[in-house]
Amino acid sequence: MPLPHLSNSSGSSEYEERMEYLHDDPLAPIYRRGLRRGLTTKKVVDILLNPRRECVARAVPTAVHMNSAFVVDISAPHVKHYKNVLADDLGAWNPTGTKQQFYRAASKRNPVRKASQAEYEDNEPHVFKCTRSFYRNESSPDLQRIFIYLTGKAI
């Protein structure tokens, strides 16, 4: 899903000083580097629904050699389609599994919270399906990738 809105960070000059870019490319800011454990699905949903503009990549990250997390705007001209995120210079990626969970977007009163599949199938506004797709690199099986995206009705 294209990012619904990009929030500007308030008073983020400290964060901007620490901003890292993959290969010094301003189109590929690194959201988080050096992760030893994955982010919870609830945290990922919150990040995808409320991304910080300066942290959103507008190009496909390539030649990533360290555990890193990227938030990629799939509607950006350098990306165009979500499957292009899987096209990089690291060879073939074999799918190893998929998990799906349903979430309701945060409101003024409530944080992001789990929803039911029935709420999603009823096209309730602000209910999203979060899909995590797992991949393993064909030539280097210890290299893994997790592709996470949301589908649902934003309004």
Side-chain angles (χ1 to χ4, degrees):
M1 103 181 230
L3 298 173
H5 63 282
L6 299 176
S7 61
N8 287 319
S9 57
S10 56
S12 65
S13 60
E14 175 191 344
Y15 185 80
E16 289 171 359
E17 289 174 16
R18 295 183 291 132
M19 179 65 68
E20 291 183 67
Y21 298 92
L22 184 64
H23 313 299
D24 296 321
D25 182 353
L27 293 178
I30 299 169
Y31 188 84
R32 206 138 169 216
R33 178 170 277 208
L35 293 171
R36 294 191 186 270
R37 304 188 95 200
L39 299 170
T40 66
T41 302
K42 185 176 177 181
K43 177 68 176 167
V44 170
V45 169
D46 193 41
I47 291 167
L48 293 177
L49 290 174
N50 301 295
R52 295 175 59 158
R53 179 180 303 278
E54 66 273 12
C55 296
V56 176
R58 296 176 315 280
V60 176
T62 59
V64 180
H65 298 288
M66 178 186 254
N67 287 342
S68 302
F70 297 90
V71 176
V72 180
D73 182 357
I74 60 169
S75 65
H78 296 285
V79 181
K80 296 182 185 172
H81 193 274
Y82 77 93
K83 288 188 177 181
N84 290 340
V85 174
L86 296 174
D88 61 16
D89 57 349
L90 296 175
W93 293 91
N94 297 319
T96 60
T98 299
K99 291 183 182 178
Q100 296 178 340
Q101 292 181 312
F102 302 90
Y103 285 88
R104 182 173 296 280
S107 65
K108 290 181 182 180
R109 293 183 177 179
N110 297 307
V112 169
R113 63 185 194 274
K114 284 199 170 188
S116 69
Q117 184 172 351
E119 289 173 296
Y120 175 77
E121 290 172 352
D122 287 344
N123 290 317
E124 286 195 28
H126 308 292
V127 174
F128 299 91
K129 176 170 58 173
C130 180
T131 304
R132 284 181 179 246
S133 298
F134 302 89
Y135 297 87
R136 191 172 296 275
N137 189 274
E138 190 171 288
S139 59
S140 185
D142 58 326
L143 186 57
Q144 299 176 46
R145 170 174 282 169
I146 303 171
F147 181 62
I148 306 169
Y149 61 95
L150 298 177
T151 52
K153 189 174 179 181
I155 297 174

